[in-house]
Amino acid sequence: MRKKWIRTVLAALMSAAVLMSSACAADMSEQSEDIAAQAEVVREGGMAFIPERSVYFADVDTSYSWAFHAIDYLANTGVVSGTGNLIYSPGKSLSRADFVLMLYRAYDMEKYAEGENFADVSADAYYADAVLAARAIGIAAGDENNNFNPSRTLTRQDAMVLLKRTLDRTGLQFAEGDLSGFTDADQVADYAVDSVGALVKAGIIGGSDGKLNPTAPVTRAEMAVMLYRALHLQTVDGVAYYETRPAVRLVCVGSTIYPDVEIENYQSGTFYAGLYELTQMTKDEDGYSITLGQSQSIDDQIVWDGTNLSVNGEVMQVADDCEAIAVDMYSKRTAGLCSTGDEYKAGAVSVVDGLVQTVYYKK
């Protein structure tokens, strides 16, 4: 049975108060129904593609294996949109305004964008409502001149402070952390110690090579991982924590991207990537889960002549909505059986009930 995780959200209680009932969070974490019994079967047969890099951004490749799942989850849910056409800029530093904008989107803060903004936040700035909402609920604070300094590069410790303030307003409780295990713990500013410690204890922050690097700029990839973990907290005895979920992967079925899918027959130590037979896909109140069959090689010779689709010389029946999807860069897809030529150099087809649903190929 799957463990429950809490999608933390902000909620207003008693006019200006912004706290989610901790009882509600507890109710969510204490549910123990048989998830499998409640699951609805949404697909049987066909194939599933599990990428080893981002399917949304061309520059989030295998060198960002530690972050691409988080980045794609946030892209899928509309929290991030990248910096250009299929570009995310994962190593780029983040501004204070852009981090608050991501918090604003992730925690549905729209209804709190009321009141007076900071002196240096223009009303027509793309981040104006986000900063205004964050100020209204006590997440964003200005300096002695009522300035927010939106374009200033955000440090890692300040990102942790802003994230911890946001989580405090969801009603979740955190244990006090200990930073003594990090060699640069003394570089954490006094105002940030409690926030950094709490996020470390909760498993949201892990550090790098024994360091927290508190004064270094936070990168867009680092931010994505922090925020993803914060959005997937669990509670034990009322205390929030993040637990790594190796069986949860981003999965593509046909042209649909599912960012958080649990592999029901996951085997520890197995590297999952590429095409697999899809035995069954189910949906319950926590999301999607799949049972996988054998892995499939992308090495069939597939020919499309505009009318007929042939696989290794055999003409196949094709579904009306069949699509061809390039698995090397999954997000670059075109509706219909289109390609750079009549023959796909190497590919595989997904067949359900005798009909080809999807053509997966390598360019």
Side-chain angles (χ1 to χ4, degrees), residues 3-6 29 172 232-236 239-245:
K3 291 185 177 180
K4 305 283 288 184
W5 58 268
I6 298 174
S29 63
L172 292 173
H232 292 79
L233 291 169
Q234 303 178 60
T235 60
V236 172
V239 177
Y241 77 102
Y242 173 77
E243 181 179 45
T244 301
R245 302 176 298 157

Side-chain angles (χ1 to χ4, degrees), residues 18-345:
V18 193
L19 293 173
M20 186 177 89
S21 166
S22 58
C24 177
D27 287 345
M28 293 173 67
S29 63
E30 291 173 0
Q31 293 180 17
S32 58
E33 298 90 349
D34 186 348
I35 301 300
Q38 299 179 20
E40 171 193 0
V41 176
V42 296
R43 183 151 186 160
E44 290 183 295
M47 286 195 290
F49 176 66
I50 301 180
E52 55 182 330
R53 49 153 298 154
S54 171
V55 299
Y56 286 98
F57 303 108
D59 60 342
V60 183
D61 54 23
T62 53
S63 64
Y64 283 94
S65 59
W66 55 275
F68 88 86
H69 187 153
I71 292 169
D72 278 10
Y73 176 88
L74 297 179
N76 184 274
T77 52
V79 176
V80 301
S81 56
T83 59
N85 184 28
L86 296 175
I87 299 299
Y88 182 71
S89 304
K92 184 179 180 180
S93 59
L94 200 63
S95 70
R96 288 167 55 82
D98 282 344
F99 186 79
V100 168
L101 179 59
M102 292 169 185
L103 292 173
Y104 173 81
R105 292 170 176 168
Y107 289 94
D108 306 321
M109 299 183 190
E110 293 87 351
K111 59 185 174 183
Y112 306 116
E114 298 180 350
E116 182 180 353
N117 218 326
F118 295 102
D120 60 346
V121 177
S122 172
D124 58 359
Y126 67 89
Y127 51 77
D129 284 350
V131 175
L132 179 58
R135 181 182 193 180
I137 57 182
I139 294 171
D143 60 20
E144 64 276 7
N145 297 316
N146 191 33
N147 289 325
F148 179 67
N149 302 303
S151 60
R152 180 180 295 172
T153 299
L154 187 68
T155 64
R156 284 173 51 83
Q157 66 182 359
D158 284 352
M160 295 179 212
V161 170
L162 290 171
L163 181 56
K164 177 57 166 53
R165 288 175 183 167
T166 303
L167 289 170
D168 285 343
R169 281 146 183 82
T170 67
L172 292 173
Q173 302 299 312
F174 292 84
E176 182 178 349
D178 179 8
L179 303 182
S180 62
F182 297 95
T183 58
D184 58 352
D186 60 342
Q187 296 179 25
V188 179
D190 291 343
Y191 68 83
V193 168
D194 289 345
S195 294
V196 175
L199 296 190
V200 166
K201 183 69 173 180
I204 295 174
I205 303 298
S208 177
D209 296 325
K211 294 184 177 181
L212 288 165
N213 300 310
T215 60
V218 65
T219 68
R220 291 171 55 83
E222 291 169 345
M223 171 284 306
V225 173
M226 288 184 198
L227 197 47
Y228 176 85
R229 292 176 178 177
L231 290 168
H232 292 79
L233 291 169
Q234 303 178 60
T235 60
V236 172
D237 297 329
V239 177
Y241 77 102
Y242 173 77
E243 181 179 45
T244 301
R245 302 176 298 157
V248 174
R249 299 295 303 276
L250 184 143
V251 177
C252 307
V253 178
S255 60
T256 304
I257 299 169
Y258 300 89
D260 262 2
V261 178
E262 180 163 12
I263 302 172
E264 291 285 2
N265 56 338
Y266 173 82
Q267 295 182 8
S268 179
T270 300
F271 179 71
Y272 289 85
L275 277 176
Y276 292 84
E277 294 176 353
L278 194 162
T279 304
Q280 187 177 81
M281 186 172 191
T282 59
K283 185 178 186 300
D284 58 40
E285 61 182 2
D286 278 346
Y288 293 90
S289 61
I290 57 173
T291 303
L292 298 177
Q294 297 294 316
S295 62
Q296 299 292 304
S297 298
I298 306 178
D299 57 6
D300 292 326
Q301 295 303 303
I302 299 175
V303 178
W304 171 249
D305 64 8
T307 303
N308 297 308
L309 179 74
S310 299
V311 181
N312 298 326
E314 179 184 355
V315 177
M316 307 289 290
Q317 296 296 312
V318 179
D320 292 337
D321 58 351
C322 182
E323 287 189 321
I325 300 173
V327 296
D328 285 342
M329 185 55 195
Y330 195 90
S331 60
K332 292 181 180 177
R333 57 178 180 262
T334 304
L337 292 178
C338 301
S339 70
T340 55
D342 291 337
E343 182 176 344
Y344 299 96
K345 299 302 181 184

